[in-house]
Structure formats: C-alpha cells, structure tokens
C-alpha cells in the first residue's frame, strides 16, 4: 500500500489546526486574546512590525505599550520583534513630538494633524521617516501612544484597515464600581469584588494589571473603586494607602483612581460635630482630608457622591442644597485639580412629601441649581429618569442644565436585565440613548455630555463579567465613552471578531444575535414602555402585582397603573406632566399617543385595552404579541448558538448554551406571569392562538428568591 505522505501530513495539520482553533478558553484574556492569525493576515501584520522602535527614554506608559505590542505580536505571529533603537524599514515606530523632533518641525505634514488630537489622541500612518518606510503611531503624549498601540493591535486582530486618527470625544471615561469594602458587590453578578481590600496595599493581584490593560485598550481613563453607598472608613488612612496601591498599578495605563465619599464621613468618624457643608469645621476637615489623599495619590481624580438618596446622608439634612454640598467638596479638591461628580439619582426621602411621579424628582431638584455649581463639579445623571430599566426614554435633565457639565451614567451590570445569565448586548441601549440628540432640535444629549460613567460588571470570576457575552457590555461602554457616536453594530462586530476570531462563519452570526438580544429582553420583560415591574429588592423576575411596599414608588403597580380601564403611566399634562420637563419638540411629539414612539407608549400614556395600535391590533393583543415575540426570540438566540457549536471551543460554547437555555426559561416565566397578571386585571380573554400561561397567577405570586445575588 502506498501512503501519500504529504496528503496525510496535510490532513494531520488540518486536524491539529481545527483542534487548536477550538481549544478551550475560559475568557480571562477578554478581547486581548491575540490568537494566531491566518497566513495572509500574518504576512500583512509582520510587514508593519519588523521591529518596534521608541525614540527617547522609556516611561512606565511606553513600557506598557511596547510590552503589549510584543505580547500581541507574539500571539498573532508566533514571535515578537525585539525593541530596536534604530529606525529601519518595516519598523513600527512610536513617537511623540518630544521623542521625535521632526514631528514637531514646521515642515512636518503631521504637525497640524497632531495638534487636533489633544493629549490622548493618536494617529497611525504608513509613511517615511529618516528615509525608511515605517508604520508610525504618533501622539502628543505617552498615553496617546499606548492608546495608539492598542488600536493598532485591534486592527491587526480584526483585519480592519488602520484608522487614520482618533481622539476621545469625552474627557472623562469612567467605571464606577459598586464594590464594598468586604468584597461584596452591590448589583454585582461576577463574583466578589476584584479589589482585595484586606490584602492591599501589600498584595497587588496580577488582575489589577490585567484590568488596567483591558480598560486602557478601550480608552477608559478613570475608575471609582468603591460603592456609591459608601462607608466612612474608605477615607481613613489605611484605606487611602490601599487605594494608593491600586492607583500605582493603574497609573501607567492612564487610569486615575476616584473614591465614593459618604457625605457624613467626618461626623461619623467623630472628627467633627456636624456634617453641615457650610460649617467651617466641616470645610476644614474635608480640606485636610483632600490634602492627605493627594499626598498618597498625587493624581487622585476626586469624589463621586450619592447624597440624599435612598437613605444616604446629604446636604439637605442641614437644609442646604445639592450645590452647597458639592461645592464644599469641590473646594477641598480644587487646589489639587480634583473634581466632584455629584449624582442626580435622587428621590423623595422617606416620610417626605412624595412627588406624584418619581420620574420628575431629579429634574425638580437639580434644574433650579443650574449655574450654582463650582467649575470642578459635574452632575452625574442616569441615562433615564427612573432606574436603569431595560428601556427608558432619556433623562430630561440632559439638555436642561446648559451651565452645568453633565455626565451620563449607564449601568453595565444588568441589574434589571437578567443579571449575567441572560444575553442582552447593551451597545444598542447605549446607542439609542446617545443618539437621542439627533431627534431633537434642542440637541439634548450629546451636546451636554462631558463624560460617561458605567457601573461596572467586573468581578473576580475567571471571565471577569460573569458570562462571556457580558464582556461585550464592558467593551461597548468603553468604546462608546471614547466615541459616543460609534455604532453598536460596528462595536459588536469588533468585539465578536476579537473574542471568537475573525471567521466569517462565526463573528457575523454572533453579531446578529447580540443585536437582537436586548430587544428580546425588553419584549419578554417590559414591552411598549412598561417599566419597574420586577421583583422587589433583588429585581429578578416578574412581580407586576406588588402593591404593598412602604413607599408607593417602590411598587410595580405604581408604574404600570393597570386596571379594568387600561394600562400605562400618564405623564402628559392630564397626568403627572413629566413631559413638560423635556424640550418642547419632544414634549409635543410625546404628548399624543399617535406620535409617541411605540417603545415608549406606556411610559407616557395610560390607554384603554382596546386602544388601536398601528399594527391593527388592540393594545391588549399587541402586549401579548410582544411577550410572545420576546419568548420566540429567546428561543431563536438559543437555536442560533447551538448552530455555532462546531465552530466554538467547547468550554465557552457550553457556558453560553446553559445560559441561553436558562434565558428561555426566564422568558417563559416573564411572559406567563405577566400575561396571567395583566389578564386578571383587564378581565379580557386571550385571543385565539395565544397560549395560556402554564400556571395560575397565584403560582407566580408564590415564587420568591431570597438568595438572589447582587445585594450590597
Ligand atoms: O438601581 C438602584 C439600585 C441600588 C443602587 C441605586 C443607585 C447603589 O437598585 O442598588 O445603589 O440604584 O444608583 O444609587
């Protein structure tokens, strides 16, 4: 028998390659996996990086950039070039005007372009330098070079064309950790806090460096280490030393450390007799405290504050305003160039007169203060007026405080969207909110944004985010904080290629799944503008029937207002008139249910069950259709994933398959419980073809989840 050795060898190699491509991954590497490229891509990348050249002395930041390039090239090509000191053909050259004076020379064609890129931007160019053909990554600062290096690696990994140049559109791009000092995480679904406060400052986990790399690769430049429901201890000397140790690790990556401050800290530490922001004793205390922090962390970013909200102390306890409180802290950090991010997430304190619509309160408290805040205060506003719902119209404060810099706060952790079990790609949620301005002449959102904050979904789970697909939400947040006009689909495509490889049979179908995933969740949880009908406290699962909580505005019935006559919250002039807080064009459009986008219908209107929808169905029938659609799409997500099984490593495949199966069950639960409940209220029959819920309403009411995760 003759053996065709070359054919056998080829077959063997093919099998090996297929096995290698499908090798199990645990997700720790995030989107920085740097797996081997195919031959053509390798040749292309190699030709751009025969050597890595950095003129001038290395800094911790350029060291990080060069190390990342070497790591990436070693992974993608099998071997990394050593750093070289001489510019030669094929060099990957990292240069700032200070490092390569010819970039600063009047004759340099890049001089003008560099001048537009600010401190953090970068450009990439195939060009000639000192007589050699090079790939140039140029920036005005070392941090720009680091961002440029990550962008170049991203392009190399996805086969994208080099971006000519890029600079962040927002200056503050921050993660907010809701991490407690005992390592629990409020609304955290990815294990314990990554900050091991007990072991710090002596023990600095390698994870902190990998966290810095991942965030720098997206351009995130700040992180608030602790929960906005803060404790006084975080501002004591031992914790300042711990925060300083984290800051030391993050600094080379351009990431500043911030802390959430509890307003009554000096009083609770028994170092003052009051926390009144106008008391000289209190002001002096905060000034000393700021000085102490800056001694340990010279580039400390500043404070994030949740005040007079959900039981947190604040200036109103002393009959002072939010501006009085924020400005007092701002004065303490101003000499050090620090900032204060003061949150607008407030609603009436217990016992106080309740506004007739919780959605109105932040605007009512903050709008009159426009112009009263110090220059280094930003007001941080959640994307919507209620609370990180699967869908909310944008917060009316955007566009309403022209004299105050506003930061938009998104929640990357999916407190209300199925935790880290259900797939819900938030890129589409971010995009929908951020592009709101194109829909109004008042230019509501983008024009007022100066920063973006994302409540982190990061924990100590091996895969960081609780699930592989939740990594995409961290990724999308970072990319959109850099460029709020970026498109959710483009970002998903980038992430999918980096995370699962550029194979055209894999990444595009994954992107399609991601793009429908959040709408799927909206449909099976809160279609047509419904909101806040989740289980009490943990916010898992349906509980539209809850009506007995201590505050009316904690009850789902307060929000959906369903009764025999109809469903929805009337926020028009006939109702709470929350609409008057929006720009006139929007208020007019949304005042009429016929011109209100269907997705916000029941957010703004209370309508009869037989209201005629554009589909020709009654509102009742439309609601049922949406619940069915949500369930059908959840099933489709699962089926699409199963079809990808041969192309995805077994470990990540199985992890997600299990989650998608559970998501189908969650969708059934939501659909059936909501239909059972709304039917009990409307008294209407289910139209033919609509399947009755599997159980009677009382069954759903009896379910409880005392150990659901995520409580602080
Ligand atoms: O969404 C709610 C959460 C609280 C959170 C609060 C806030 C940190 O349920 O857990 O507290 O918002 O944003 O302050």
């Amino acid at each position: 028998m003759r053996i065709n050795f070359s054919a056998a060898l080829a077959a063997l190699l093919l099998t090996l390659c297929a096995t290698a491509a499908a090798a199990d991954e645990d997700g720790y590497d995030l989107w920085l996996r740097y797996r081997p490229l195919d031959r053509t891509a390798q040749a292309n990348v190699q030709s751009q990086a025969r050597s890595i050249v950095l003129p001038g002395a290395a800094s911790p930041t350029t060291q990080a950039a060069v190390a990342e390039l070497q790591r990436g090239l070693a992974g993608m090509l099998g071997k990394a070039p050593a750093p070289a000191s001489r510019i030669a053909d094929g060099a990957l050259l990292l240069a700032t005007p200070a490092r390569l004076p010819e970039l600063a020379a009047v004759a340099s064609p890049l001089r003008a372009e560099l001048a537009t890129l600010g401190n953090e931007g970068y450009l990439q160019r195939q060009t000639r330098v000192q007589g050699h053909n090079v790939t140039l990554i140029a920036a005005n600062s070392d941090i720009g070079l680091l961002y440029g290096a990550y962008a170049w690696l991203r392009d190399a990994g996805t086969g994208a064309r080099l971006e000519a140049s890029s600079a962040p559109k927002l200056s503050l791009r921050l993660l907010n950790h809701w991490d407690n000092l005992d390592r629990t995480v409020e609304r955290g679904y990815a294990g314990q806090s990554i900050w091991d406060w007990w072991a710090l400052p002596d023990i600095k986990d390698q994870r902190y460096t990998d966290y810095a790399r991942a965030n720098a690769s997206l351009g995130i430049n700040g992180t608030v280490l602790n929960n906005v429901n803060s404790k006084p201890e975080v501002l004591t000397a031992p914790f300042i030393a711990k925060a300083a140790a984290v800051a030391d690790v993050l600094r080379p990556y351009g990431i500043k450390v911030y802390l959430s401050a509890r307003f009554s800290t000096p009083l609770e530490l028994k170092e003052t007799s009051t926390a009144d922001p106008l008391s000289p004793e209190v002001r002096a205390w905060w000034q000393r405290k700021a000085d102490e922090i800056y001694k340990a962390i010279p580039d400390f970013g500043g404070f994030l504050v949740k005040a007079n909200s959900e039981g947190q102390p604040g200036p109103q306890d002393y009959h002072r305003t939010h501006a009085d409180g924020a400005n007092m802290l701002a004065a303490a950090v101003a000499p050090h160039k620090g900032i204060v991010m003061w949150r607008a997430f407030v609603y009436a304190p217990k016992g106080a007169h309740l506004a007739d619509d919780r959605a109105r309160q932040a605007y009512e408290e903050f709008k009159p203060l426009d112009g009263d805040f110090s220059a280094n205060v930003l007001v941080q506003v959640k994307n919507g007026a209620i609370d990180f719902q699967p869908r909310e119209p944008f917060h009316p404060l955007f566009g309403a405080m022209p004299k105050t810099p506003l930061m938009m706060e998104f929640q990357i952790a999916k407190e209300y969207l199925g935790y880290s079990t259900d797939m819900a790609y938030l890129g589409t949620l971010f995009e929908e909110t951020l592009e709101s301005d194109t829909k109004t002449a008042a230019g509501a959102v983008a024009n007022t944004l100066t920063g973006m904050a994302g409540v982190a979904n990061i924990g100590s789970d091996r895969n960081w985010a609780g699930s592989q697909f939740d990594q995409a939400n961290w990724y999308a947040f970072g990319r959109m904080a850099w460029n709020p006009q970026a498109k959710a689909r483009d970002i998903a495509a980038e992430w999918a290629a980096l995370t699962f490889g550029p194979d055209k049979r894999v990444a595009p179908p994954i992107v399609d799944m991601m793009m429908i995933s959040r709408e799927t969740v909206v449909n099976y949880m809160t279609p047509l503008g419904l909101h806040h009908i989740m289980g009490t406290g943990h916010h898992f699962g349906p509980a539209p029937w809850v009506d007995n909580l201590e505050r009316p505005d904690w009850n789902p019935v307060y929000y959906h207002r369903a009764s025999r006559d109809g469903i929805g919250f009337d926020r028009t002039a006939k109702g709470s008139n929350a609409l008057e807080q929006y720009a006139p064009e929007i208020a007019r459009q949304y005042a009429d249910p016929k011109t209100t986008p269907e997705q916000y219908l029941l957010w703004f209107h209370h309508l009869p069950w037989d209201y005629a929808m554009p589909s020709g169905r009654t509102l009742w029938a439309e609601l049922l259709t949406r619940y069915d659609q949500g369930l059908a799409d959840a099933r489709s997500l699962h089926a699409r994933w199963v079809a990808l099984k041969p192309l995805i490593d077994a470990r990540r495949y199985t992890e997600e398959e299990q989650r998608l199966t559970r998501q189908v069950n969650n969708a059934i639960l939501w659909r059936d419980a909501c239909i059972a409940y709304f039917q009990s209220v409307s008294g209407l029959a289910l139209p033919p073809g609509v399947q009755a819920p599997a159980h009677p309403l009382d069954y759903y009411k009896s379910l409880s989840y005392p150990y659901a995760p995520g409580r602080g």
Side-chain angles (χ1 to χ4, degrees):
M1 190 178 73
R2 283 187 50 165
I3 296 177
N4 180 340
F5 276 105
S6 54
L9 193 65
L12 181 69
L13 275 176
L14 254 175
T15 323
L16 283 177
C17 285
T19 327
D24 270 354
E25 294 191 35
D26 61 17
Y28 183 84
D29 292 339
L30 295 160
W31 46 88
L32 304 175
R33 292 160 59 254
Y34 307 128
R35 294 296 189 267
L37 299 174
D38 68 35
R39 284 269 197 94
T40 329
Q42 276 187 340
N44 176 33
V45 169
Q46 190 145 36
S47 70
Q48 296 178 37
R50 298 200 187 285
S51 59
I52 300 174
V53 182
L54 174 88
S59 69
T61 300
T62 59
Q63 270 164 355
V66 171
E68 195 71 27
L69 286 168
Q70 288 191 296
R71 177 199 288 256
L73 287 165
M76 291 187 288
L77 307 180
K79 143 169 172 294
S85 49
R86 289 255 190 83
I87 299 176
D89 281 340
L92 183 57
L93 172 62
L94 304 178
T96 59
R99 293 178 175 279
L100 190 67
E102 59 196 85
L103 284 179
V106 184
S108 163
L110 297 179
R111 196 171 102 131
E113 198 174 340
L114 268 173
T116 64
L117 295 176
N119 190 47
E120 295 176 303
Y122 58 85
L123 64 81
Q124 303 177 344
R125 204 55 48 85
Q126 311 277 344
T127 185
R128 277 180 83 75
V129 173
Q130 297 174 6
H132 296 283
N133 292 328
V134 301
T135 298
L136 172 70
I137 298 177
N140 294 307
S141 68
D142 287 355
I143 194 63
L145 293 181
L146 180 67
Y147 291 153
Y150 276 112
W152 185 84
L153 286 164
R154 185 163 58 230
D155 291 344
T158 55
R161 245 169 27 91
L162 290 179
E163 273 180 74
S165 64
S166 188
K169 296 212 165 64
L170 302 177
S171 56
L172 294 167
R173 307 177 298 277
L174 264 59
L175 288 181
N176 288 185
H177 287 266
W178 286 359
D179 295 18
N180 299 313
L181 305 184
D182 63 2
R183 282 193 96 173
T184 55
V185 179
E186 179 147 357
R187 313 309 178 183
Y189 312 102
Q192 287 193 297
S193 166
I194 64 165
W195 313 124
D196 189 346
W197 291 105
W198 181 252
L200 283 164
D202 315 290
I203 299 166
K204 293 178 251 187
D205 199 310
Q206 167 62 29
R207 219 171 233 258
Y208 305 162
T209 307
D210 291 332
Y211 167 93
R213 291 175 45 235
N215 280 313
S217 78
L218 306 173
I220 284 173
N221 64 359
T223 183
V224 184
L225 299 181
N226 62 316
N227 191 353
V228 287
N229 292 333
S230 182
K231 294 273 189 256
E233 291 83 355
V234 77
L235 297 184
T236 60
F239 278 92
I240 293 172
K242 292 168 195 284
V246 175
D248 288 344
V249 178
L250 306 188
R251 186 169 297 112
Y253 296 86
I255 301 168
K256 282 188 186 178
V257 155
Y258 299 73
L259 292 172
S260 290
R262 183 167 166 89
F263 198 75
S264 52
T265 299
L267 176 66
E268 287 187 58
L269 293 177
K270 301 197 170 40
E271 294 177 13
T272 58
S273 57
T274 170
D276 181 346
L278 299 193
S279 143
E281 185 199 4
V282 171
R283 299 177 77 85
W285 186 91
W286 281 104
Q287 187 63 69
R288 281 197 310 278
K289 188 50 73 179
D291 296 346
E292 180 189 344
I293 296 173
Y294 278 92
K295 221 174 189 173
I297 313 174
D299 55 353
F300 179 65
F303 296 123
L304 171 64
V305 186
K306 170 177 179 178
N308 293 118
S309 170
E310 299 187 322
Q312 294 299 308
Q316 292 176 345
D317 304 348
Y318 303 92
H319 308 289
R320 312 295 186 197
T321 68
H322 287 291
D324 293 331
N327 294 348
M328 181 271 291
L329 292 176
V333 294
H336 306 282
K337 305 211 180 339
I339 62 165
V340 170
M341 294 162 291
W342 192 269
R343 293 177 88 227
F345 177 70
V346 292
Y347 57 100
K350 212 160 128 190
H353 165 73
L354 285 174
D356 27 333
D357 182 356
R358 177 173 147 192
R360 293 185 58 113
Q361 190 173 345
Y363 183 102
E364 278 171 8
E365 279 189 32
F366 280 84
K367 162 90 179 148
L369 300 177
D370 191 25
D372 291 353
F373 289 97
S374 301
N376 57 336
V377 175
L378 297 105
V379 173
Q380 185 166 308
V381 184
K382 287 190 182 181
N383 61 290
I386 295 292
D387 194 5
F388 298 141
Q389 295 302 292
R391 169 167 281 126
E392 293 194 38
F394 74 87
H395 201 301
L397 272 176
F398 292 107
M401 296 186 68
K403 298 190 204 116
T404 312
L406 301 188
M407 273 177 86
M408 187 173 287
E409 177 181 313
F410 285 114
Q411 191 184 42
I412 309 171
K414 306 200 313 295
E415 172 183 356
Y416 292 96
L417 291 98
Y419 301 176
S420 57
T421 37
D422 292 12
M423 181 189 293
Y425 169 55
L426 299 180
T428 51
L429 186 158
F430 303 153
E431 178 179 76
E432 180 177 297
T433 312
L434 291 166
E435 66 179 23
S436 302
D437 102 302
T438 58
K439 298 185 191 130
T440 92
V445 177
N447 300 345
T448 56
L449 277 177
T450 55
M452 241 164 83
V455 177
N457 64 351
I458 298 163
S460 55
D461 275 6
R462 184 70 193 155
N463 65 21
W464 299 86
S467 81
Q468 305 295 337
F469 276 86
D470 276 290
Q471 296 180 355
N473 293 329
W474 175 7
Y475 187 90
F477 170 79
R479 297 289 279 146
M480 287 201 183
W482 181 273
N483 176 13
Q485 277 124 40
K487 292 285 152 227
R489 178 173 279 279
D490 297 343
I491 293 175
E494 216 175 71
W495 177 82
L498 292 169
T499 304
F500 291 103
D503 186 337
K504 293 278 173 285
R505 294 166 305 165
V506 178
I510 286 181
V511 172
D512 289 341
M513 291 173 65
M514 292 166 74
M515 290 302 287
I516 67 157
S517 59
R518 177 261 187 155
E519 199 66 38
T520 301
V521 170
V522 169
N523 277 329
Y524 67 69
M525 289 188 181
T526 50
L528 297 174
L530 288 175
H531 49 288
H532 220 300
I533 58 173
M534 290 76 186
T536 305
H538 48 67
H539 299 150
F540 172 81
W545 45 81
V546 171
D547 63 358
N548 60 355
L549 302 177
E550 149 183 31
R551 292 175 55 117
D553 54 359
W554 283 349
N555 286 315
V557 296
Y558 170 96
Y559 293 101
H560 63 65
R561 308 206 164 192
S563 64
R564 268 294 132 134
D565 76 339
I567 180 169
F569 198 132
D570 185 353
R571 293 193 163 105
T572 69
K574 295 187 278 87
S576 78
N577 208 11
L579 260 183
E580 72 180 341
Q581 298 179 335
Y582 285 91
E585 299 89 323
I586 298 198
R588 259 196 309 277
Q589 190 197 344
Y590 292 6
D592 180 351
K594 296 274 175 263
T595 51
T596 303
E598 249 175 30
Q599 61 195 31
Y600 302 139
L601 195 62
L602 303 177
W603 187 284
F604 290 113
H605 301 281
H606 184 85
L607 297 169
W609 294 105
D610 62 0
Y611 175 81
M613 297 293 289
S615 63
R617 285 184 276 267
T618 63
L619 174 57
W620 169 237
E622 186 68 36
L623 190 67
L624 301 171
T625 306
R626 297 297 170 112
Y627 276 112
D628 275 336
Q629 185 68 50
L631 174 55
D633 288 344
R635 290 196 166 116
S636 154
L637 285 174
H638 180 261
R640 296 187 206 192
W641 185 249
V642 170
L644 291 170
K645 182 173 182 184
L647 300 169
I648 291 176
D649 60 281
R651 177 166 177 166
R652 290 191 297 174
Y653 171 78
T654 307
E655 272 183 37
E656 193 56 28
E657 193 280 323
Q658 291 174 351
R659 283 177 172 72
L660 289 166
T661 299
R662 179 149 169 176
Q663 183 162 8
V664 170
N665 291 330
N666 287 344
I668 294 173
L669 175 67
W670 268 95
R671 177 210 176 266
D672 283 4
C674 289
I675 291 180
Y677 171 73
F678 289 127
Q679 189 179 22
S680 78
V681 178
S682 72
L684 295 169
L686 296 181
V690 176
Q691 206 183 332
H695 303 279
L697 179 58
D698 280 345
Y699 164 81
Y700 299 106
K701 287 187 173 176
S702 74
L703 300 175
S704 78
Y705 309 96
Y707 303 114
R711 295 207 226 185

